[in-house]
Amino acid sequence: MEPQSTSFSPTVPSSSSPPKLGRGNFRRVSRTEDTSPCPIPGLAADILHMRVKEGSKIRNLLRFATARMQGEGKGSDGVAQRQVVFTGSGRGVTKTITCVEILKRKVGGLHQVSKLYYKTVNEVWESPQHGVPGITMHRTVPAISILLSKDPLDPQEPGYQPPQTLSVPAEDKERRRSLLRPACSPTSHHLPGNAKRACPDDWRISSPSTSKI
């Protein structure tokens, strides 16, 4: 994706030179995003919409979304959710993708549609120094919206991904086979020359009267 662009607009007439941005010079007092519609077409009006921000806690988002998708927490109509949309922008994009991947493992068989786009973010910064003008920043940041659905989606829609199929790695299969092999199997590991392999057919029960102390 292209790097984000930033423009500065001083909140005073252009005759005054804008101050330099710095951690000690300015502090952000407000941040707003444009209200652009979700780029995924055909969404229901009552769909579960999870807005992921930079400071959002992943475990809190997943606890709520998983409960709604699994039927533990039902909507206002008493029916479990069948679709959910995760949306994030800027530094929240990575956290949005993480939430989606974890939820897909918790709730299987989910169809997915992903859309990448850009949003405009407006930030107002003010200086604690008296008489120093504030600054309004207009930034264009990347954003992402991901739809997860229990119902089938249009496979021709750009960004569509079918449900994941859970497969066991080859090494895990071989490990399970080795655990199921009997001890006297020809494929067992070779033992030292003075060691005797124990097989079920060789087991004997010694009587207490014949045992030596």
Side-chain angles (χ1 to χ4, degrees):
M1 304 184 78
E2 297 180 358
Q4 63 182 20
S5 59
T6 306
S7 61
F8 301 92
S9 300
T11 56
V12 296
S14 56
S15 58
S16 300
S17 59
K20 296 181 180 180
L21 286 176
R23 185 178 297 272
N25 296 334
F26 285 83
R27 61 184 180 89
R28 189 175 64 186
V29 295
S30 66
R31 182 181 186 274
T32 59
E33 297 182 359
D34 60 351
T35 56
S36 56
C38 183
I40 302 176
L43 295 179
D46 58 346
I47 191 172
L48 178 61
H49 200 159
M50 305 295 297
R51 292 176 174 85
V52 184
K53 299 181 180 180
E54 180 182 351
S56 300
K57 299 294 184 182
I58 293 180
R59 63 177 179 269
N60 295 338
L61 295 170
L62 289 175
R63 184 184 300 114
F64 182 81
T66 303
R68 295 291 296 272
M69 293 294 287
Q70 292 181 342
E72 299 174 7
K74 299 181 180 180
S76 57
D77 55 356
V79 180
Q81 294 287 337
R82 301 193 61 82
Q83 292 184 338
V84 58
V85 174
F86 284 86
T87 300
S89 61
R91 296 182 180 178
V93 169
T94 302
K95 189 170 294 186
T96 302
I97 298 174
T98 301
C99 290
V100 168
E101 293 301 322
I102 297 177
L103 184 60
K104 287 163 61 177
R105 291 177 173 86
K106 291 178 174 291
V107 183
L110 294 178
H111 300 259
Q112 176 179 337
V113 170
S114 305
K115 300 290 185 181
L116 291 171
Y117 57 104
Y118 289 92
K119 299 185 69 173
T120 301
V121 177
N122 303 316
E123 296 180 348
V124 177
W125 294 73
E126 292 182 353
S127 173
Q129 301 177 5
H130 180 71
V132 178
I135 286 182
T136 300
M137 295 173 40
H138 307 281
R139 298 192 299 155
T140 302
V141 298
I144 189 170
S145 290
I146 304 177
L147 168 65
L148 296 178
S149 174
K150 296 180 180 179
D151 302 321
L153 301 174
D154 183 8
Q156 303 301 324
E157 179 69 25
Y160 171 80
Q161 294 183 25
Q164 293 180 343
T165 56
L166 300 179
S167 58
V168 180
E171 54 270 18
D172 290 348
K173 294 181 179 179
E174 181 61 28
R175 188 180 300 110
R176 293 181 182 181
R177 292 195 190 100
S178 63
L179 294 175
L180 295 176
R181 291 179 186 136
C184 56
S185 171
T187 57
S188 302
H189 297 289
H190 295 288
L191 298 177
N194 58 351
K196 182 179 180 181
R197 181 182 291 109
C199 298
D201 295 339
D202 297 335
W203 292 352
R204 298 292 185 271
I205 302 177
S206 59
S207 174
S209 60
T210 60
S211 61
K212 296 182 181 181
I213 300 177

